[in-house]
C-alpha cells in the first residue's frame, strides 16, 4: 500500500512537471508562431541533451581517479615510451568500441563502450592492469559523449567560445602526461545557452507532456468557446501565460478522465503563482471555478 502511494505521488509530481513544460511550450507557440509539433520535438530533443550531460558528468567525476591509475602505470616509463604504450592501447580500445552496434558512428551506449574496451584490452599481448583498461574505456566513453554534445550544440546554433572549447577538448588527451580535465560547469553553461527546456524536465512525464501539446491544439476552438464567457475580456487581451494555463486546465477538465477537477484547478493556480503576474492566480481560479459550477 505504501509503495503504491509513493508511486502515485511520484506520478503526480511527474505530471506537474509536464504541465510546467507544456506551459512553456504553449507560450512559445503563441509568441513565436512555430508549428507545435516542431516545438514539442525541440523540447524532447533538449531532454536528450540533458540526459547526455548527466551521462557525461557521471564519467567526468570518475576521470581523476582514472588519470591517477594511468599516471602510476606509466611512472617508470620515459615520455616517449609512455606515449607509445597509450597509443597502442587506444587503438585497441577504439577497435573494441567500433565492434558494438552503433560503435562506428560513435553512438554506442557509454557503458557498453567501457565494457567492450576492457574486454578488448584483456586480449592484447601484455594486457594492462584491469584498472588501466577501465581508465581507457572511460576515456573513450567521455570522448564519444563530448563529440555527441558538440554535434547537439552545433545543431542548435552554438558558436564562438563554447564551440572552440569543445573543439579544443577533442584535440587533447584525457589520460597520460598531458591529460586535461573537462570543465563540467562550463559545458552546462554552453548547454543552457541553446536549449528551451532546462534540466528539470528530466523529472517530467514526457508522455503526458506530449499528450497536452497534441490534445490542446486539436481541441483549441472548443476550449476557447468554453473559456470565453468567463474571461471578462476579449481572448486576445488575455496574457499568453494565463491563456496557456487556462488551456491546460480546461483540457484536463473536459478531456482527461483521470485528473480530478480539484487537481486540475489547483495545478493551474500553482502555475499561475509561479509564472504569471501578481494577480494571475486569482483570475485563473475565478475562470475555472465558473466552468466547474456549470458542469
Amino acid at each position: 500500500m505504501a509503495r503504491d502511494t509513493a508511486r502515485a505521488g511520484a506520478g503526480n509530481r511527474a505530471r506537474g512537471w509536464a504541465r510546467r513544460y507544456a506551459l512553456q511550450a504553449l507560450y512559445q507557440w503563441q509568441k513565436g508562431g512555430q508549428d507545435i509539433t516542431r516545438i514539442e520535438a525541440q523540447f524532447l530533443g533538449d531532454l536528450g541533451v540533458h540526459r547526455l550531460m548527466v551521462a557525461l558528468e557521471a564519467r567526468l567525476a570518475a576521470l581523476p581517479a582514472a588519470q591517477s591509475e594511468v599516471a602510476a602505470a606509466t611512472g617508470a616509463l620515459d615520455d616517449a615510451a609512455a606515449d607509445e604504450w597509450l597509443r597502442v592501447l587506444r587503438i585497441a580500445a577504439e577497435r573494441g568500441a567500433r565492434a558494438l552496434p552503433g560503435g562506428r558512428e560513435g553512438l554506442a551506449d557509454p557503458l557498453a563502450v567501457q565494457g567492450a574496451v576492457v574486454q578488448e584490452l584483456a586480449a592484447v599481448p601484455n594486457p594492462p592492469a584491469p584498472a588501466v583498461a577501465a581508465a581507457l574505456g572511460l576515456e573513450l566513453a567521455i570522448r564519444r559523449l563530448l563529440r555527441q554534445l558538440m554535434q547537439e550544440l552545433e545543431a542548435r546554433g552554438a558558436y564562438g567560445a563554447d564551440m572552440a572549447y569543445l573543439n579544443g577538448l577533442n584535440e587533447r588527451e584525457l589520460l597520460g602526461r598531458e591529460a586535461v580535465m573537462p570543465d563540467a560547469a562550463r559545458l552546462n553553461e554552453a548547454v543552457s545557452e541553446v536549449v528551451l527546456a532546462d534540466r528539470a524536465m528530466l523529472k517530467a512525464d514526457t508522455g503526458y507532456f506530449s499528450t497536452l501539446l497534441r490534445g490542446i491544439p486539436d481541441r483549441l476552438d472548443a476550449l476557447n468557446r468554453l473559456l470565453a464567457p468567463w474571461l471578462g475580456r476579449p481572448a486576445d487581451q488575455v496574457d499568453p501565460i494565463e491563456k496557456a494555463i487556462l488551456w491546460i486546465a480546461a483540457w484536463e477538465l473536459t478531456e482527461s478522465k483521470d485528473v480530478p477537477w480539484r487537481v486540475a484547478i489547483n495545478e493551474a493556480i500553482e502555475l499561475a503563482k509561479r509564472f504569471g503576474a501578481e494577480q494571475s492566480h486569482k483570475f485563473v481560479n475565478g475562470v475555472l471555478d465558473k466552468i466547474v459550477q456549470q458542469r
Side-chain angles (χ1 to χ4, degrees):
M1 180 69 72
R3 184 176 300 172
D4 291 342
T5 301
R7 188 179 297 114
N12 290 336
R13 287 190 293 274
R15 281 196 169 190
W17 285 104
R19 292 181 185 95
R20 169 177 167 171
Y21 288 101
L23 167 60
Q24 292 184 23
L26 291 167
Y27 176 80
Q28 185 80 14
W29 182 46
Q30 293 177 77
K31 300 295 286 185
Q34 284 184 291
D35 182 78
I36 193 67
T37 57
R38 180 174 296 180
I39 295 173
E40 177 193 0
Q42 185 168 353
F43 271 75
L44 295 177
D46 289 349
L47 194 62
V49 176
H50 291 306
R51 289 193 180 111
L52 180 62
M53 273 304 306
V54 169
L56 181 55
E57 286 173 358
R59 284 157 182 84
L60 290 179
L63 183 57
Q67 291 173 337
S68 296
E69 290 289 348
V70 171
T74 57
L77 303 176
D78 61 42
D79 289 347
D83 290 346
E84 177 62 16
W85 185 64
L86 286 173
R87 185 190 70 81
V88 171
L89 292 179
R90 285 186 174 114
I91 290 172
E94 183 67 36
R95 185 170 61 243
R98 287 170 67 86
L100 293 168
R104 290 183 177 275
E105 298 80 16
L107 300 176
D109 177 76
L111 277 176
V113 167
Q114 291 173 249
V117 168
V118 170
Q119 184 175 355
E120 184 71 24
L121 293 182
V124 301
N126 300 315
V132 173
L136 285 156
L138 179 69
E139 179 190 45
L140 187 53
I142 290 173
R143 282 198 169 284
R144 289 178 168 227
L145 288 168
L146 285 170
R147 284 197 291 269
Q148 289 178 47
L149 181 64
M150 187 165 64
Q151 291 167 3
E152 291 287 354
L153 295 188
E154 191 172 31
R156 286 165 169 76
Y159 64 96
D162 291 334
M163 294 306 294
Y165 179 66
L166 274 164
N167 275 313
L169 285 178
N170 280 323
E171 295 172 0
R172 302 289 300 277
E173 302 295 352
L174 302 179
L175 300 174
R177 59 190 177 86
E178 296 185 355
V180 297
M181 182 67 197
D183 186 341
R186 182 165 184 180
L187 294 173
N188 271 309
E189 288 174 7
V191 168
S192 68
E193 290 291 327
V194 295
V195 295
L196 287 176
D198 59 30
R199 188 180 291 197
M201 193 176 175
L202 291 170
K203 304 175 186 178
D205 179 339
T206 53
Y208 196 62
F209 167 81
S210 293
T211 295
L212 291 171
L213 287 198
R214 296 170 189 178
I216 289 169
D218 285 348
R219 297 284 295 157
L220 193 59
D221 289 343
L223 296 177
N224 284 335
R225 286 195 298 271
L226 177 67
L227 294 166
W230 317 113
L231 296 177
R233 69 195 80 162
D236 60 5
Q237 295 180 16
V238 176
D239 177 82
I241 289 289
E242 294 173 349
K243 190 182 294 184
I245 293 170
L246 289 170
W247 284 341
I248 292 169
W251 184 88
E252 290 186 324
L253 289 171
T254 57
E255 303 295 326
S256 182
K257 305 302 182 184
D258 61 344
V259 179
W261 66 267
R262 286 188 178 86
V263 171
I265 292 177
N266 287 339
E267 290 285 338
I269 291 170
E270 290 304 313
L271 286 174
K273 286 179 178 178
R274 182 173 179 86
F275 298 106
E278 185 175 351
Q279 300 299 316
S280 287
H281 66 285
K282 295 180 180 179
F283 170 66
V284 166
N285 185 38
V287 171
L288 296 177
D289 186 57
K290 291 283 181 30
I291 290 173
V292 169
Q293 289 179 25
Q294 298 300 312
R295 293 177 73 188

